[in-house]
Amino acid sequence: MTDDVQETVPVRRAEVRVEREPITDENRDAAMTPPDITEAEYEVILHEEGPVVQTQAIPVEGVRLATEEQTGGETATGEVREEKIKADTPDDGTRKR
């Protein structure tokens, strides 16, 4: 038996965020002489998680079916017809009772 289930699962992913830093009296000199601009590239790999749904059948229990015969009684109600037949036969003593 299978059931379709819809459930929310937590996933993570990396995102790029640009942080801005205000220029203050303490960092003004460093801001006035920034590092030299080069042709070097900076590459960042972003990762993202995704849910994986998988099922696997693992035997955990066996089931055996057997039959048993049960005897009981039930009460039945109805009409019963009884017929009696009278026969006139000669009794010669050879008949077994």
Side-chain angles (χ1 to χ4, degrees):
M1 182 173 100
T2 60
D3 292 327
D4 290 333
V5 177
Q6 184 175 1
E7 189 171 318
T8 302
V9 294
V11 293
R12 295 182 303 180
R13 71 170 182 254
E15 291 186 354
V16 174
R17 181 178 70 221
V18 176
E19 294 183 357
R20 295 179 182 217
E21 182 179 311
I23 303 299
T24 63
D25 289 338
E26 288 80 27
N27 65 7
R28 185 171 310 275
D29 291 337
M32 295 303 289
T33 56
D36 292 338
I37 296 176
T38 65
E39 294 188 22
E41 291 184 14
Y42 294 96
E43 185 175 308
V44 176
I45 304 298
L46 303 178
H47 296 277
E48 178 176 272
E49 292 181 343
V52 176
V53 178
Q54 180 179 359
T55 60
Q56 182 178 6
I58 300 171
V60 293
E61 185 176 35
V63 177
R64 180 177 293 120
L65 301 178
T67 59
E68 293 182 5
E69 190 172 302
Q70 302 290 326
T71 303
E74 290 186 25
T75 303
T77 304
E79 290 185 14
V80 176
R81 188 181 318 185
E82 185 176 312
E83 294 183 18
K84 292 185 179 183
I85 301 175
K86 270 182 135 182
D88 292 329
T89 58
D91 189 8
D92 59 0
T94 59
R95 196 169 124 198
K96 294 183 181 176
R97 292 186 181 198

